[in-house]
Amino acid sequence: MITILAGGAMGAAALHHGALWVLQRRLIFPGAYMMGTGEEPRRPDVERLSVTHAAGQTHGYLLPAGAAEDGAQRGLVVYAHGNAECAADWIFDAQPYTSAGFHFLCLEYRGFGASDGTPSERGIVEDSILLIDQVLARGDLAVDPARIVYHGRSVGGGAISAVARKRPPARLILEATFSSVHSMSSGFWAPRYLVRDPLDVRLLLAESFGGPVLLLHSR
């Protein structure tokens, strides 16, 4: 009887762990699996930027601030949205930034909006760095490296923190963001080794990023 119970428990644990391994990205990035994907910002002053990967293309959307009258450099805000949103939901809220002289780059994740593929931390980091590099390489935008701000909302805070570990900004804004996926995984009875995309904000703040940080959160 003990052998049967132990075998049953091991089987249930294996099934639970297998399901979490397969389904966790649907929990972390539900917007990639929801109906109605393919949406893009529709506005003449929004530029679509693209990077190519094995699954197709990932897009980012740029709303330029316009050239400064005195020829001075502009700032850049790189925005990462929440897990059930897409870039089209937020690109039109960029006016406070553009009015203050910041270009606004809204990142899209693989599988979201019109972007191809499946979202992952690694893919977000790779695509985001390439999109940021496209903006920084453009002479007409004249981005000031000392005025590059990353703004992440919800899961976007984890995503932009992963990017920041590889390509640090000058300043960081985290809005309604968790400390890491590891910190939440216990609620699903998931051990740390099962987490595929840790999106570890705490690690960035504790070990990597020394610039100013603005934390926005409510109860």
Side-chain angles (χ1 to χ4, degrees):
M1 176 64 72
I2 294 176
T3 302
I4 294 174
L5 291 175
M10 291 177 63
L15 182 62
H16 173 259
H17 284 21
L20 281 176
W21 181 260
V22 173
L23 297 176
Q24 62 181 270
R25 283 180 173 155
R26 292 180 177 267
L27 298 172
I28 299 170
F29 303 108
Y33 304 93
M34 295 165 60
M35 298 298 292
T37 59
E39 185 176 3
E40 292 190 279
R42 291 178 174 84
R43 186 166 143 176
D45 52 349
V46 174
E47 301 180 28
R48 185 175 81 168
L49 310 178
S50 301
V51 298
T52 301
H53 47 78
Q57 289 189 323
T58 297
H59 308 298
Y61 301 92
L62 175 68
L63 188 60
E69 293 182 2
D70 57 1
Q73 291 179 302
R74 292 294 203 181
L76 171 66
V77 170
V78 181
Y79 185 86
H81 60 70
N83 69 355
E85 304 162 351
C86 63
D89 297 323
W90 291 102
I91 189 68
F92 304 117
D93 289 335
Q95 185 175 357
Y97 284 129
T98 56
S99 297
F102 287 82
H103 306 302
F104 187 86
L105 172 62
C106 194
L107 303 173
E108 195 63 281
Y109 316 136
R110 297 184 189 185
F112 283 72
S115 294
D116 304 310
T118 301
S120 68
E121 178 175 324
R122 179 177 178 179
I124 289 171
V125 172
E126 291 176 352
D127 298 342
S128 298
I129 288 175
L130 291 173
L131 289 167
I132 292 168
D133 284 349
Q134 286 188 36
V135 174
L136 297 182
R138 285 179 46 174
D140 62 312
L141 297 177
V143 175
D144 180 359
R147 297 178 66 205
I148 297 177
V149 181
Y150 291 176
H151 182 165
R153 167 183 158 81
S154 189
V155 79
I160 209 67
S161 294
V163 176
R165 286 199 297 273
K166 297 289 186 179
R167 186 64 60 82
R171 294 169 175 81
L172 180 65
I173 300 172
L174 298 173
E175 178 185 353
T177 296
F178 46 80
S179 58
S180 72
V181 174
H182 285 145
S183 69
M184 301 187 296
S185 63
S186 60
F188 297 92
W189 299 285
R192 292 174 65 93
Y193 63 79
L194 278 180
V195 175
R196 303 170 72 179
D197 306 295
L199 301 172
D200 199 329
V201 178
R202 184 175 295 171
L203 179 64
L204 170 73
L205 299 183
E207 299 182 3
S208 304
F209 186 70
V213 180
L214 173 62
L215 299 176
L216 302 174
H217 220 299
S218 70
R219 292 183 179 180

